[in-house]
Amino acid sequence: MLAPIKQALPRWAPRSRAVGPAPPVASVAVNMRPTESSWGGGNQWLAQIARYLAGRGYAVRFDLAAPVDVIVMVDPRVGGLIGFGPDEIGAYRRRFPRVHCLHRINECDARKGTHDVDRLLAEANRAADFTLFVSEWLRDYHACRWFDPGPPHA
């Protein structure tokens, strides 16, 4: 007679009820907002990485208005879709020294016939803990000009 009750007890036990969503694994701030219009490969990468991170429990934002664990710098040139740059990242990291910064590099002067992008990237890279080049060719190109391959990079 007690067997059915013993079997039912686990179902009747009080269950913890989640209130609101689970806390994020970590918070990531990306300095470029994605857009629906055509904007090139960087925007495609951004949309995919934001979707990937959000789907795995990370909070992804496009500003530095709230605490973050990691900053991703896609482009150092502030304006348009770029909400903050190396100066703001530096100021944020002085206030919150445990925040890490990843710099994604997908540009160079040789590719577009410009004369200021390499210098901007070199200056911006000072804010980064880790540098991510989109190709080995681009890494080698910048290593011949300004990039020190000693610190962490890929």
Side-chain angles (χ1 to χ4, degrees):
M1 180 186 255
L2 290 176
I5 294 173
K6 286 181 180 180
Q7 287 177 336
L9 279 177
R11 288 183 283 167
W12 297 338
R15 295 185 182 130
S16 62
R17 297 177 190 237
V19 178
V25 173
S27 182
V28 179
V30 183
N31 80 327
M32 179 178 171
R33 290 184 328 274
T35 182
E36 295 293 324
S37 65
S38 65
W39 199 266
N43 183 60
Q44 298 301 314
W45 173 84
L46 176 56
Q48 289 177 9
I49 197 71
R51 196 168 40 251
Y52 176 86
L53 291 170
R56 280 149 186 82
Y58 291 81
V60 180
R61 53 185 311 113
F62 304 99
D63 59 46
L64 295 173
V68 298
D69 301 297
V70 177
I71 299 169
V72 178
M73 180 171 32
V74 178
D75 191 327
R77 299 168 287 190
V78 177
L81 298 177
I82 310 301
F84 58 91
D87 293 341
E88 292 83 4
I89 293 169
Y92 191 90
R93 293 188 72 198
R94 282 188 291 281
R95 287 180 50 220
F96 305 101
R98 291 186 171 190
V99 172
H100 296 285
C101 180
L102 179 143
H103 185 190
R104 178 183 184 268
I105 297 182
N106 187 30
E107 292 284 354
C108 70
D109 285 327
R111 191 170 75 86
K112 291 192 172 181
T114 56
H115 302 288
D116 61 341
V117 172
D118 292 352
R119 180 186 54 77
L120 286 171
L121 293 172
E123 291 172 7
N125 196 252
R126 293 182 192 140
D129 299 301
F130 190 93
T131 305
L132 177 63
F133 293 95
V134 299
S135 71
E136 288 181 16
W137 180 90
L138 200 55
R139 180 203 58 210
D140 295 345
Y141 169 91
H142 287 298
C144 288
R145 286 154 182 79
W146 60 267
F147 181 69
D148 174 7
H153 68 280

